[in-house]
Amino acid sequence: MVYCGKPSKACGECRLRRTRCDYKRPSCTQCLRAGRSCKGYRDTNDLMFRDESQGLSDKHRRSTEAKAQAKAERSRAVDLSSTSYSDLDFALISSPQPAQFQPLPPLTINLATSPEDQATCFFFQNYVLGGKDMFKGHIDYLSDIYSSEEIGSGLADSVASLGMVGLANFWKSPNIMSNAAIKYNSAMRTISSQLRDVEQAKSDQTLISILLLGLYETNTCNSRSSMEAWTKHITGAVALMQLRGREALRTPLGYHMFIHLRSQVLTSCIQRHAPIPRIITEWSNEIDFETPEQAAATSLVHLASRYCDLRSSMSEFRDYSDPERIITTACAIDNDYDIWAKTCPYQMIYQTVTLKERSDEVFSDHYHIYPNLWVATVWNNYRSVRLLINELILDQLCHLYLSTPESPLLWNDTCFYENQVLASNTILLQLCHDICASVPFYLGFDPDADKRMPRAIPKAVSGNLLLWPLYTAAVTDLVSDMMREWVAGRLRWISDIIGIRQAAPLAFSLRRKQDLLTWQNEKEDDDIGSPLSSVESPVMEMNI
């Protein structure tokens, strides 16, 4: 018998909808209030243990048969190889039928794959997804570079260091992590020497190497210095892009690299409350060969830059020096976000699937299916920034209502305060639920999969792209403890199964209901490394 943990005592309907059940009989109060038929309660004693005798017996039988078959094949090969030529001739002459001989397999020599090659393969498998769609993968332009150019040591070491980090986190191997640090330092030395030469500094491989080193800091993320190093990498990449000039946008490779850098810059500016550099907004306006969905993503960049400009004009989140200006500007940006969602191209429309059977991998009773990973990430970035905007509106509006109730802004429209508070609260809850509904798509949830078969591990890029939306949703004041706990569980799963180290301190922070993060040097019972706490924002990934 296997202990399966303490099951929920709630009725079937409350478990499906994740509502709090009061366990009353014959029907719980929630079901009676909602007017639905309560299916009653299950016997929790029958669910705490599961009989695995048959499964273990079958496993032992399969193992025994496999060993016996392998032993028989080895014995047959040995007998044939020890037979002399005269014995074979005698058998051929004396046998009335032609003898059938199984030839020995040819001698093969297996060459060991170097650690660098294994790490590179891991990186391409998890971050360069491939496919026909231009944005199906995250940084698919690397395939073109590896297939058409001679790879320099700087880019090779950057890729290898990232691959080794993934392998080290997956296998929980400190030795591999040490080798990853060695490769990272080697890449840093090579790039430093390349930056001394203008032509080498303007090369594609130098810029890509710096962007990948920033991703290395995200995946290791074991101290406050990781966050500072990530910011320096992004700042340096912006300077290199400016050095390359606008002509770099004219090629498909240059365009993809600019989009990759743009996503990193947006993440950095939103989390540091800094304005978007002019090179990003101006160059985004000069792109004239985008598809409709790519143009829609660029429109989101301009909306996000307006929020960054507003947020950077404030000394802190609770800067109440000019609430009327902040509220008016934020409401205008939020309205444009709403228009964007209602007018986005049909290529970005996603499906909502209702569950037939409850699953712990889905927060509510439904989840989303997107055309590809890029489309899903664009939607989550829309939701994350709009969450921040509406939180800002609510905070400033409540302060204005309490401090200056006679403000003209509150009386320009009938019941402006009440209507806006209700609208922002509704938007916040819906956005949080939509982010949670996107998680099964990222993590490869399949309701029709055979539960007895091992589940395929999602790509590492999926875990990276989920960190910021999940954390942003879970720290929203309106979300329930149940949603916050579910998000923390998903983040811990990303850390333990996919191997994205930064997800663990984020889960730690949420489970202690900390709104912000700082680094502390203390050991915790669940061995997640140095936890994040409340001074800095986490380093996370966007993809717009």
Side-chain angles (χ1 to χ4, degrees):
M1 303 296 287
V2 177
Y3 178 65
C4 301
K6 186 176 180 181
S8 172
K9 298 180 180 179
C11 68
E13 293 295 324
C14 287
R15 292 198 310 275
L16 178 63
R17 291 170 170 78
R18 286 188 176 271
T19 56
R20 186 181 296 278
C21 184
D22 57 7
Y23 316 122
K24 290 188 177 181
R25 298 179 182 273
S27 297
C28 76
T29 305
Q30 291 280 18
C31 293
L32 292 176
R33 185 182 298 112
R36 57 177 180 254
S37 175
C38 184
K39 299 179 181 179
Y41 306 89
R42 56 185 180 176
D43 188 354
T44 57
N45 294 327
D46 294 340
L47 301 173
M48 293 178 65
F49 296 91
R50 182 173 66 249
D51 189 2
E52 292 287 346
S53 301
Q54 186 61 40
L56 291 174
S57 177
D58 294 341
K59 182 177 180 180
H60 177 71
R61 177 179 55 79
R62 290 192 299 269
S63 176
T64 304
E65 292 175 353
K67 291 179 180 178
Q69 183 179 0
K71 183 177 180 180
E73 292 178 355
R74 287 195 301 269
S75 299
R76 189 160 52 249
V78 170
D79 292 342
L80 186 58
S81 63
S82 62
T83 304
S84 64
Y85 286 109
S86 58
D87 293 335
L88 293 176
D89 294 338
F90 177 79
L92 285 171
I93 295 173
S94 61
S95 176
Q97 299 293 334
Q100 301 294 325
F101 294 97
Q102 180 70 30
L104 288 172
L107 182 63
T108 59
I109 301 176
N110 295 324
L111 299 177
T113 305
S114 67
E116 291 79 7
D117 290 342
Q118 295 182 43
T120 301
C121 291
F122 180 90
F123 173 83
F124 272 81
Q125 178 67 21
N126 281 274
Y127 288 95
V128 185
L129 306 182
K132 297 181 180 180
D133 298 336
M134 183 176 292
F135 276 108
K136 188 172 183 179
H138 182 52
I139 44 180
D140 283 9
Y141 58 79
L142 271 176
S143 297
D144 297 333
I145 293 179
Y146 267 74
S147 61
S148 61
E149 299 181 15
E150 181 179 352
I151 305 303
S153 59
L155 179 56
D157 288 342
S158 299
V159 170
S161 66
L162 267 171
M164 288 181 180
V165 167
L167 291 172
N169 288 337
F170 181 78
W171 295 111
K172 295 180 173 56
S173 172
N175 292 333
I176 301 179
M177 187 64 76
S178 299
N179 291 332
I182 293 174
K183 285 294 179 182
Y184 174 87
N185 292 329
S186 175
M188 286 286 291
R189 288 192 297 269
T190 302
I191 294 172
S192 296
S193 64
Q194 291 174 344
L195 293 178
R196 297 187 183 98
D197 182 85
V198 176
E199 293 304 319
Q200 289 188 6
K202 293 168 62 176
S203 68
D204 296 335
Q205 293 194 24
T206 301
L207 178 58
I208 297 171
S209 300
I210 294 176
L211 290 173
L212 295 182
L213 293 180
L215 185 58
Y216 174 94
E217 298 294 348
T218 300
N219 287 5
T220 53
C221 201
N222 53 10
S223 68
R224 181 174 178 175
S225 61
S226 296
M227 302 164 66
E228 297 171 350
W230 174 75
T231 302
K232 292 179 180 178
H233 286 316
I234 302 307
T235 303
V238 172
L240 283 185
M241 180 63 74
Q242 195 163 9
L243 178 66
R244 290 160 59 92
R246 287 178 169 84
E247 294 75 16
L249 294 178
R250 308 309 177 202
T251 64
L253 177 59
Y255 170 77
H256 287 300
M257 293 170 60
F258 173 72
I259 297 302
H260 187 190
L261 173 62
R262 187 175 70 179
S263 68
Q264 298 287 300
V265 172
L266 280 174
T267 306
S268 175
C269 292
I270 288 175
Q271 294 175 6
R272 293 186 297 111
H273 312 137
I276 303 292
R278 292 181 59 185
I279 179 179
I280 299 299
T281 54
E282 291 179 358
W283 288 22
S284 295
N285 288 328
E286 296 182 9
I287 301 174
D288 53 4
F289 50 87
E290 291 185 310
T291 63
E293 55 267 40
Q294 293 167 356
T298 298
S299 298
L300 273 186
V301 172
H302 294 305
L303 291 176
S305 67
R306 289 168 57 189
Y307 166 75
C308 288
D309 290 340
L310 172 62
R311 188 65 180 84
S312 63
S313 67
M314 303 167 57
S315 59
E316 58 179 345
F317 180 76
R318 291 181 171 82
D319 179 0
Y320 302 121
S321 58
D322 193 358
E324 293 183 353
R325 176 187 66 86
I326 296 174
I327 294 170
T328 303
T329 306
C331 286
I333 299 174
D334 183 68
N335 182 66
D336 289 341
Y337 265 96
D338 185 57
I339 295 174
W340 181 93
K342 294 176 180 178
T343 59
C344 68
Y346 73 90
Q347 295 93 334
M348 302 184 68
I349 296 176
Y350 56 88
Q351 302 177 23
T352 300
V353 181
T354 303
L355 279 179
K356 299 179 181 178
E357 182 181 352
R358 179 75 194 122
S359 173
D360 290 337
E361 296 186 51
V362 182
F363 176 73
S364 186
D365 58 352
H366 66 278
Y367 62 98
H368 296 163
I369 295 180
Y370 297 86
N372 53 54
L373 186 66
W374 179 79
V375 171
T377 305
V378 170
W379 274 107
N380 272 348
N381 291 332
Y382 150 82
R383 293 162 184 151
S384 300
V385 180
R386 199 175 180 192
L387 275 172
L388 300 176
I389 293 171
N390 279 274
E391 282 192 316
L392 184 61
I393 292 173
L394 284 176
D395 182 74
Q396 294 286 328
L397 192 59
C398 291
H399 171 80
L400 182 64
Y401 182 79
L402 294 175
S403 62
T404 316
E406 68 280 1
S407 170
L409 178 63
L410 302 176
W411 298 102
N412 285 340
D413 297 327
T414 305
C415 300
F416 170 79
Y417 171 77
E418 292 82 359
N419 292 337
Q420 185 59 53
V421 169
L422 178 61
S424 292
N425 285 335
T426 303
I427 292 171
L428 286 173
L429 287 176
Q430 184 62 52
L431 294 173
C432 292
H433 277 273
D434 286 344
I435 290 175
C436 292
S438 72
V439 174
F441 175 81
Y442 279 89
L443 301 186
F445 171 71
D446 184 3
D448 300 324
D450 189 347
K451 302 299 187 295
R452 296 169 297 180
M453 299 296 292
R455 175 179 172 180
I457 298 175
K459 307 294 185 182
V461 63
S462 298
N464 278 109
L465 295 175
L466 262 182
L467 296 186
W468 186 54
L470 271 180
Y471 181 79
T472 304
V475 297
T476 303
D477 291 337
L478 292 179
V479 302
S480 63
D481 290 340
M482 184 176 295
M483 179 181 287
R484 188 175 291 109
E485 180 64 25
W486 184 84
V487 170
R490 294 296 87 194
L491 288 171
R492 193 58 198 252
W493 193 90
I494 291 173
S495 172
D496 295 342
I497 304 302
I498 301 181
I500 306 301
R501 182 181 177 87
Q502 191 191 11
L506 296 179
F508 172 90
S509 172
L510 292 178
R511 283 188 167 135
R512 279 142 184 82
K513 298 182 181 180
Q514 298 175 1
D515 292 338
L516 297 173
L517 305 175
T518 60
W519 297 100
Q520 299 171 352
N521 296 319
E522 59 182 11
K523 286 188 76 173
E524 296 296 329
D525 296 336
D526 47 359
D527 190 28
I528 63 171
S530 301
L532 290 165
S533 60
S534 65
V535 175
E536 299 288 341
S537 297
V539 178
M540 304 179 211
E541 188 91 7
M542 293 179 71
N543 185 19
I544 297 181

mmCIF file of all heavy atoms in Angstrom, residues 398-421:
data_model
loop_
_atom_site.group_PDB
_atom_site.id
_atom_site.type_symbol
_atom_site.label_atom_id
_atom_site.label_comp_id
_atom_site.label_asym_id
_atom_site.label_seq_id
_atom_site.Cartn_x
_atom_site.Cartn_y
_atom_site.Cartn_z
ATOM 1 N N CYS A 398 -8.293 55.456 -4.592
ATOM 2 C CA CYS A 398 -8.703 55.356 -3.183
ATOM 3 C C CYS A 398 -8.079 56.465 -2.353
ATOM 4 O O CYS A 398 -8.729 57.037 -1.466
ATOM 5 C CB CYS A 398 -8.318 53.982 -2.627
ATOM 6 S SG CYS A 398 -9.261 52.621 -3.319
ATOM 7 N N HIS A 399 -6.813 56.782 -2.628
ATOM 8 C CA HIS A 399 -6.182 57.883 -1.891
ATOM 9 C C HIS A 399 -6.876 59.209 -2.193
ATOM 10 O O HIS A 399 -7.133 60.009 -1.276
ATOM 11 C CB HIS A 399 -4.703 57.973 -2.256
ATOM 12 C CG HIS A 399 -4.035 59.194 -1.701
ATOM 13 N ND1 HIS A 399 -3.605 59.278 -0.383
ATOM 14 C CD2 HIS A 399 -3.737 60.409 -2.268
ATOM 15 C CE1 HIS A 399 -3.073 60.464 -0.172
ATOM 16 N NE2 HIS A 399 -3.141 61.170 -1.292
ATOM 17 N N LEU A 400 -7.191 59.449 -3.463
ATOM 18 C CA LEU A 400 -7.845 60.698 -3.834
ATOM 19 C C LEU A 400 -9.231 60.809 -3.190
ATOM 20 O O LEU A 400 -9.623 61.882 -2.721
ATOM 21 C CB LEU A 400 -7.966 60.788 -5.354
ATOM 22 C CG LEU A 400 -8.596 62.067 -5.915
ATOM 23 C CD1 LEU A 400 -7.721 63.281 -5.589
ATOM 24 C CD2 LEU A 400 -8.795 61.954 -7.424
ATOM 25 N N TYR A 401 -9.942 59.709 -3.151
ATOM 26 C CA TYR A 401 -11.286 59.711 -2.564
ATOM 27 C C TYR A 401 -11.235 60.004 -1.064
ATOM 28 O O TYR A 401 -12.106 60.709 -0.525
ATOM 29 C CB TYR A 401 -11.951 58.363 -2.818
ATOM 30 C CG TYR A 401 -13.366 58.270 -2.294
ATOM 31 C CD1 TYR A 401 -14.421 58.839 -2.996
ATOM 32 C CD2 TYR A 401 -13.634 57.612 -1.093
ATOM 33 C CE1 TYR A 401 -15.730 58.748 -2.516
ATOM 34 C CE2 TYR A 401 -14.921 57.524 -0.605
ATOM 35 C CZ TYR A 401 -15.971 58.094 -1.320
ATOM 36 O OH TYR A 401 -17.262 58.018 -0.840
ATOM 37 N N LEU A 402 -10.219 59.500 -0.390
ATOM 38 C CA LEU A 402 -10.115 59.707 1.059
ATOM 39 C C LEU A 402 -9.513 61.058 1.413
ATOM 40 O O LEU A 402 -9.905 61.692 2.399
ATOM 41 C CB LEU A 402 -9.271 58.587 1.673
ATOM 42 C CG LEU A 402 -9.868 57.173 1.602
ATOM 43 C CD1 LEU A 402 -8.881 56.151 2.142
ATOM 44 C CD2 LEU A 402 -11.182 57.097 2.374
ATOM 45 N N SER A 403 -8.561 61.523 0.612
ATOM 46 C CA SER A 403 -7.853 62.765 0.952
ATOM 47 C C SER A 403 -8.525 64.000 0.364
ATOM 48 O O SER A 403 -8.538 65.060 0.994
ATOM 49 C CB SER A 403 -6.405 62.693 0.469
ATOM 50 O OG SER A 403 -6.362 62.569 -0.946
ATOM 51 N N THR A 404 -9.062 63.879 -0.844
ATOM 52 C CA THR A 404 -9.674 65.032 -1.511
ATOM 53 C C THR A 404 -11.016 64.623 -2.122
ATOM 54 O O THR A 404 -11.146 64.476 -3.338
ATOM 55 C CB THR A 404 -8.743 65.584 -2.611
ATOM 56 O OG1 THR A 404 -7.403 65.652 -2.118
ATOM 57 C CG2 THR A 404 -9.190 66.972 -3.053
ATOM 58 N N PRO A 405 -12.006 64.397 -1.300
ATOM 59 C CA PRO A 405 -13.302 63.924 -1.838
ATOM 60 C C PRO A 405 -13.982 64.938 -2.746
ATOM 61 O O PRO A 405 -14.869 64.571 -3.515
ATOM 62 C CB PRO A 405 -14.125 63.662 -0.568
ATOM 63 C CG PRO A 405 -13.486 64.492 0.488
ATOM 64 C CD PRO A 405 -12.030 64.548 0.166
ATOM 65 N N GLU A 406 -13.584 66.196 -2.681
ATOM 66 C CA GLU A 406 -14.217 67.214 -3.531
ATOM 67 C C GLU A 406 -13.503 67.370 -4.873
ATOM 68 O O GLU A 406 -13.827 68.284 -5.656
ATOM 69 C CB GLU A 406 -14.224 68.559 -2.822
ATOM 70 C CG GLU A 406 -12.852 69.226 -2.623
ATOM 71 C CD GLU A 406 -12.072 68.657 -1.452
ATOM 72 O OE1 GLU A 406 -12.593 67.729 -0.790
ATOM 73 O OE2 GLU A 406 -10.953 69.139 -1.191
ATOM 74 N N SER A 407 -12.562 66.507 -5.192
ATOM 75 C CA SER A 407 -11.821 66.606 -6.438
ATOM 76 C C SER A 407 -12.760 66.593 -7.647
ATOM 77 O O SER A 407 -13.682 65.771 -7.714
ATOM 78 C CB SER A 407 -10.830 65.448 -6.548
ATOM 79 O OG SER A 407 -10.260 65.399 -7.836
ATOM 80 N N PRO A 408 -12.534 67.485 -8.624
ATOM 81 C CA PRO A 408 -13.396 67.505 -9.825
ATOM 82 C C PRO A 408 -13.392 66.184 -10.586
ATOM 83 O O PRO A 408 -14.384 65.836 -11.219
ATOM 84 C CB PRO A 408 -12.795 68.630 -10.670
ATOM 85 C CG PRO A 408 -12.036 69.486 -9.697
ATOM 86 C CD PRO A 408 -11.530 68.562 -8.639
ATOM 87 N N LEU A 409 -12.283 65.442 -10.519
ATOM 88 C CA LEU A 409 -12.214 64.172 -11.233
ATOM 89 C C LEU A 409 -13.275 63.197 -10.732
ATOM 90 O O LEU A 409 -13.855 62.433 -11.514
ATOM 91 C CB LEU A 409 -10.820 63.559 -11.061
ATOM 92 C CG LEU A 409 -10.604 62.189 -11.716
ATOM 93 C CD1 LEU A 409 -10.758 62.288 -13.228
ATOM 94 C CD2 LEU A 409 -9.233 61.630 -11.351
ATOM 95 N N LEU A 410 -13.545 63.246 -9.429
ATOM 96 C CA LEU A 410 -14.526 62.332 -8.849
ATOM 97 C C LEU A 410 -15.958 62.721 -9.194
ATOM 98 O O LEU A 410 -16.875 61.908 -9.035
ATOM 99 C CB LEU A 410 -14.355 62.274 -7.328
ATOM 100 C CG LEU A 410 -12.973 61.833 -6.819
ATOM 101 C CD1 LEU A 410 -12.934 61.919 -5.299
ATOM 102 C CD2 LEU A 410 -12.670 60.419 -7.289
ATOM 103 N N TRP A 411 -16.146 63.950 -9.662
ATOM 104 C CA TRP A 411 -17.511 64.437 -9.906
ATOM 105 C C TRP A 411 -17.766 64.764 -11.371
ATOM 106 O O TRP A 411 -18.882 65.186 -11.715
ATOM 107 C CB TRP A 411 -17.781 65.682 -9.052
ATOM 108 C CG TRP A 411 -17.690 65.389 -7.587
ATOM 109 C CD1 TRP A 411 -16.645 65.682 -6.761
ATOM 110 C CD2 TRP A 411 -18.655 64.722 -6.772
ATOM 111 N NE1 TRP A 411 -16.884 65.257 -5.484
ATOM 112 C CE2 TRP A 411 -18.126 64.662 -5.457
ATOM 113 C CE3 TRP A 411 -19.916 64.173 -7.013
ATOM 114 C CZ2 TRP A 411 -18.818 64.073 -4.403
ATOM 115 C CZ3 TRP A 411 -20.595 63.586 -5.964
ATOM 116 C CH2 TRP A 411 -20.054 63.539 -4.673
ATOM 117 N N ASN A 412 -16.752 64.565 -12.222
ATOM 118 C CA ASN A 412 -16.990 64.814 -13.650
ATOM 119 C C ASN A 412 -18.027 63.861 -14.225
ATOM 120 O O ASN A 412 -18.869 64.238 -15.036
ATOM 121 C CB ASN A 412 -15.679 64.689 -14.440
ATOM 122 C CG ASN A 412 -14.787 65.901 -14.229
ATOM 123 O OD1 ASN A 412 -15.262 66.964 -13.818
ATOM 124 N ND2 ASN A 412 -13.497 65.742 -14.489
ATOM 125 N N ASP A 413 -17.950 62.623 -13.820
ATOM 126 C CA ASP A 413 -18.911 61.606 -14.246
ATOM 127 C C ASP A 413 -19.690 61.115 -13.036
ATOM 128 O O ASP A 413 -19.166 61.075 -11.909
ATOM 129 C CB ASP A 413 -18.200 60.427 -14.906
ATOM 130 C CG ASP A 413 -17.484 60.849 -16.180
ATOM 131 O OD1 ASP A 413 -17.995 61.748 -16.863
ATOM 132 O OD2 ASP A 413 -16.405 60.286 -16.458
ATOM 133 N N THR A 414 -20.917 60.725 -13.276
ATOM 134 C CA THR A 414 -21.750 60.209 -12.198
ATOM 135 C C THR A 414 -21.174 58.903 -11.673
ATOM 136 O O THR A 414 -20.893 57.986 -12.447
ATOM 137 C CB THR A 414 -23.188 59.968 -12.696
ATOM 138 O OG1 THR A 414 -23.677 61.182 -13.265
ATOM 139 C CG2 THR A 414 -24.079 59.518 -11.556
ATOM 140 N N CYS A 415 -20.969 58.842 -10.373
ATOM 141 C CA CYS A 415 -20.457 57.634 -9.700
ATOM 142 C C CYS A 415 -19.129 57.164 -10.325
ATOM 143 O O CYS A 415 -18.883 55.963 -10.473
ATOM 144 C CB CYS A 415 -21.477 56.508 -9.752
ATOM 145 S SG CYS A 415 -23.058 56.884 -8.975
ATOM 146 N N PHE A 416 -18.259 58.112 -10.684
ATOM 147 C CA PHE A 416 -17.004 57.731 -11.313
ATOM 148 C C PHE A 416 -16.175 56.839 -10.386
ATOM 149 O O PHE A 416 -15.631 55.809 -10.812
ATOM 150 C CB PHE A 416 -16.193 58.973 -11.688
ATOM 151 C CG PHE A 416 -14.790 58.662 -12.123
ATOM 152 C CD1 PHE A 416 -14.544 58.202 -13.395
ATOM 153 C CD2 PHE A 416 -13.703 58.821 -11.252
ATOM 154 C CE1 PHE A 416 -13.248 57.909 -13.815
ATOM 155 C CE2 PHE A 416 -12.416 58.523 -11.661
ATOM 156 C CZ PHE A 416 -12.192 58.071 -12.941
ATOM 157 N N TYR A 417 -16.110 57.192 -9.125
ATOM 158 C CA TYR A 417 -15.286 56.426 -8.191
ATOM 159 C C TYR A 417 -15.793 54.993 -8.072
ATOM 160 O O TYR A 417 -15.034 54.032 -8.216
ATOM 161 C CB TYR A 417 -15.294 57.110 -6.820
ATOM 162 C CG TYR A 417 -14.648 56.289 -5.733
ATOM 163 C CD1 TYR A 417 -13.268 56.202 -5.635
ATOM 164 C CD2 TYR A 417 -15.428 55.605 -4.802
ATOM 165 C CE1 TYR A 417 -12.665 55.440 -4.640
ATOM 166 C CE2 TYR A 417 -14.839 54.839 -3.807
ATOM 167 C CZ TYR A 417 -13.463 54.763 -3.729
ATOM 168 O OH TYR A 417 -12.872 54.006 -2.754
ATOM 169 N N GLU A 418 -17.111 54.839 -7.802
ATOM 170 C CA GLU A 418 -17.659 53.501 -7.630
ATOM 171 C C GLU A 418 -17.528 52.668 -8.898
ATOM 172 O O GLU A 418 -17.160 51.487 -8.854
ATOM 173 C CB GLU A 418 -19.125 53.569 -7.201
ATOM 174 C CG GLU A 418 -19.357 54.116 -5.803
ATOM 175 C CD GLU A 418 -19.349 55.643 -5.766
ATOM 176 O OE1 GLU A 418 -19.139 56.262 -6.843
ATOM 177 O OE2 GLU A 418 -19.535 56.204 -4.674
ATOM 178 N N ASN A 419 -17.821 53.268 -10.039
ATOM 179 C CA ASN A 419 -17.759 52.520 -11.295
ATOM 180 C C ASN A 419 -16.336 52.092 -11.640
ATOM 181 O O ASN A 419 -16.104 50.974 -12.094
ATOM 182 C CB ASN A 419 -18.332 53.361 -12.439
ATOM 183 C CG ASN A 419 -19.827 53.575 -12.303
ATOM 184 O OD1 ASN A 419 -20.517 52.794 -11.631
ATOM 185 N ND2 ASN A 419 -20.341 54.622 -12.926
ATOM 186 N N GLN A 420 -15.374 53.003 -11.413
ATOM 187 C CA GLN A 420 -13.994 52.681 -11.758
ATOM 188 C C GLN A 420 -13.432 51.617 -10.822
ATOM 189 O O GLN A 420 -12.690 50.725 -11.248
ATOM 190 C CB GLN A 420 -13.121 53.929 -11.719
ATOM 191 C CG GLN A 420 -11.686 53.708 -12.188
ATOM 192 C CD GLN A 420 -11.627 53.188 -13.609
ATOM 193 O OE1 GLN A 420 -12.209 53.766 -14.522
ATOM 194 N NE2 GLN A 420 -10.923 52.080 -13.811
ATOM 195 N N VAL A 421 -13.760 51.712 -9.531
ATOM 196 C CA VAL A 421 -13.295 50.691 -8.587
ATOM 197 C C VAL A 421 -13.851 49.324 -8.970
ATOM 198 O O VAL A 421 -13.135 48.312 -8.997
ATOM 199 C CB VAL A 421 -13.700 51.061 -7.151
ATOM 200 C CG1 VAL A 421 -13.466 49.883 -6.209
ATOM 201 C CG2 VAL A 421 -12.910 52.275 -6.669
#
